[in-house]
Amino acid sequence: MASLVLKDINKYYTNTFHAVKDLNLTIDDKEFIILVGPSGCGKSTSLRMIAGLEEISSGELYIDDKLVNDVEPKDRDIAMVFQNYALYPHMTVFDNMAFGLKLRKMSKEEIQTKVNEAAEILNIKELLNRKPKELSGGQRQRVALGRAIVREPKVFLMDEPLSNLDAKLRVQMRSEINKLHKKLQTTFIYVTHDQTEAMTMGTRIVVMKDGIVQQVADPQTIYEYPANLFVAGFIGSPQMNFINCNLVEEGDKIYAIFGNNKLLIPTNKANVVKAKDYIGKDIVLGIRPKDLYAKADATFPNEESTFTARIDVKELLGSETYLYLKLDDIDLISIVQPNLAIEIGERIEISVDMNKCHLFDKDTEQSIL
């Protein structure tokens, strides 16, 4: 079991490309940390620096209070699971899982015990005599996990281990990895670009962009209180709607105005924007698709904050329907009940649950609230 501390970690490739910038992160023992962000944001590079596969340009990495910047990867007591499984094709499943233990000169009896225990946990005992080419993608991923488990490392590192699997298998393997974390009671650090994986698996999420950490929090906090425009747009599916607005005070009320439309800002949020002197300024209003209601829907909540938009595309997903709306030159997405009698091209009245809205500074892109 291990805790990790990353202090002012930087990674430069040559003098021109700054891949990871001043990464500061404390990971507690037994945590399941997710590094998430788009391609090229520095998440895999950060993971490889923890593993020792990439040199740290500057900063300090501690594992259990021990500085490990110059410690060889094999001596860090870390196991890594790669995106492409990285199995030896000429070896059986048993030999793939046992390979690292043989290098450690363990006895045959001990190796047999550890491999059997890991195979039992992962439900692959009947596959031990097969070779990788005889396995499905999900089975190969289990073998890669098994090879890491037998080493009983302090820290598990996983670099997009599910991205090569089909959608159904990804859902199943997400559940398997969650169970594995609970069973092994070990520190997990998991890299993904899939925000669904991030939301469903991690105890805390680290959102990265351009080598910089944007926000670190538990999944619910990240979703409900995004720190900035990027986090708000990246976390959540479909992504949050954004509207450029101007904040105007009329009497004792504050409205977000865009075009010929105006939406009432609730009192608690209005007090914040007034105290921070945003009246009369341009801001970005963020609204999640589930907080845009069609008037034809029985749950239509608010007569004061409405607008009319045209339905461009309608996607029926069984339990819900996605409406792709056009409001002047603004594209919006709304999630509505599947049984609404509405058609493509129709103009419908939409109500906004402004109690759930997010407000962002247009210049800094930071959350105002």
Side-chain angles (χ1 to χ4, degrees):
M1 313 307 146
S3 58
L4 290 88
V5 177
L6 292 82
K7 284 187 178 179
D8 300 320
I9 298 287
N10 286 273
K11 177 64 182 177
Y12 295 91
Y13 290 103
T14 70
N15 292 325
T16 55
F17 182 48
H18 196 174
V20 177
K21 304 167 186 174
D22 295 323
L23 174 57
N24 286 282
L25 184 64
T26 299
I27 301 171
D28 295 329
D29 184 27
K30 301 178 186 176
E31 259 202 295
F32 197 140
I33 288 284
I34 305 278
L35 302 182
V36 68
S39 296
C41 72
K43 55 190 186 297
S44 289
T45 302
S46 300
L47 197 76
R48 291 170 67 83
M49 284 192 286
I50 293 171
L53 302 177
E54 292 278 3
E55 186 180 342
I56 296 171
S57 301
S58 68
E60 297 173 340
L61 170 64
Y62 294 88
I63 300 177
D64 277 343
D65 299 324
K66 179 187 174 186
L67 183 65
V68 296
N69 286 44
D70 299 321
V71 175
E72 289 293 318
K74 65 184 177 65
D75 298 322
R76 295 190 184 192
D77 202 4
I78 278 173
M80 189 157 177
V81 179
F82 296 91
Q83 178 180 344
N84 60 357
Y85 320 131
L87 302 177
Y88 297 108
H90 63 288
M91 291 184 183
T92 64
V93 168
F94 181 93
D95 289 333
N96 265 286
M97 291 172 66
F99 186 73
L101 304 182
K102 288 175 181 176
L103 291 180
R104 293 182 175 185
K105 304 286 194 293
M106 282 190 180
S107 67
K108 285 185 179 180
E109 294 77 16
E110 196 172 0
I111 290 172
Q112 186 79 46
T113 300
K114 286 182 177 293
V115 171
N116 284 338
E117 284 176 354
E120 190 79 49
I121 289 170
L122 296 165
N123 198 24
I124 54 172
K125 252 194 154 179
E126 72 282 1
L127 307 177
L128 289 176
N129 293 320
R130 293 191 195 177
K131 290 189 176 175
K133 67 180 180 182
E134 302 172 70
L135 306 178
S136 69
Q139 289 169 335
R140 290 180 196 178
Q141 196 56 269
R142 281 190 173 91
V143 176
L145 285 168
R147 185 175 54 192
I149 290 169
V150 295
R151 290 180 52 198
E152 297 180 354
K154 287 181 178 178
V155 184
F156 276 92
L157 305 180
M158 299 189 181
D159 191 3
E160 303 199 35
L162 308 185
S163 59
N164 288 344
L165 306 181
D166 62 64
K168 185 177 179 182
L169 201 50
R170 277 205 303 271
V171 174
Q172 182 186 341
M173 286 303 295
R174 280 207 307 263
S175 172
E176 295 291 337
I177 291 173
N178 269 328
K179 289 177 189 172
L180 194 61
H181 176 247
K182 288 182 174 66
K183 188 173 288 188
L184 298 178
Q185 292 290 295
T186 308
T187 307
F188 276 46
I189 306 174
Y190 187 106
V191 160
T192 182
H193 63 269
D194 184 333
Q195 56 97 13
T196 303
E197 284 181 23
M199 290 294 291
T200 55
M201 296 175 75
T203 51
R204 279 194 302 156
I205 298 174
V206 181
V207 184
M208 297 184 72
K209 178 192 176 192
D210 299 333
I212 300 169
V213 172
Q214 304 293 309
Q215 188 172 3
V216 182
D218 63 89
Q220 200 62 36
T221 300
I222 290 265
Y223 183 81
E224 292 183 359
Y225 305 102
N228 56 39
L229 211 56
F230 172 78
V231 176
F234 191 81
I235 298 295
S237 182
Q239 81 159 43
M240 187 182 289
N241 297 295
F242 296 113
I243 304 172
N244 291 323
C245 301
N246 185 264
L247 290 178
V248 174
E249 189 171 19
E250 295 182 3
D252 60 348
K253 294 181 178 180
I254 295 173
Y255 293 90
I257 293 181
F258 57 102
N260 297 318
N261 308 285
K262 66 180 186 179
L263 305 174
L264 177 66
I265 304 291
T267 304
N268 60 330
K269 299 178 191 290
N271 291 338
V272 175
V273 296
K274 194 167 183 178
K276 293 187 176 182
D277 197 26
Y278 276 95
I279 305 302
K281 293 182 179 178
D282 292 335
I283 57 109
V284 179
L285 172 69
I287 312 157
R288 298 229 178 253
K290 67 181 182 60
D291 299 323
L292 292 180
Y293 296 82
K295 189 163 187 178
D297 194 328
T299 57
F300 187 85
N302 187 351
E303 297 286 350
E304 264 195 292
S305 296
T306 63
F307 55 79
T308 302
R310 185 184 75 243
I311 302 172
D312 270 359
V313 178
K314 177 182 174 184
E315 290 182 347
L316 182 61
L317 301 179
S319 61
E320 58 194 13
T321 296
Y322 290 1
L323 298 181
Y324 293 80
L325 306 169
K326 196 75 172 179
L327 173 62
D328 300 326
D329 60 345
I330 304 168
D331 294 308
L332 302 169
I333 304 175
S334 172
I335 300 177
V336 299
Q337 299 296 318
N339 55 355
L340 291 185
I342 46 180
E343 300 300 330
I344 293 171
E346 187 178 335
R347 293 184 66 82
I348 63 168
E349 194 168 359
I350 294 289
S351 171
V352 183
D353 185 353
M354 291 296 286
N355 289 309
K356 302 284 183 63
C357 78
H358 301 265
L359 305 175
F360 301 94
D361 186 294
K362 195 169 183 180
D363 297 323
T364 67
E365 298 189 352
Q366 297 300 305
S367 173
I368 295 169
L369 303 174

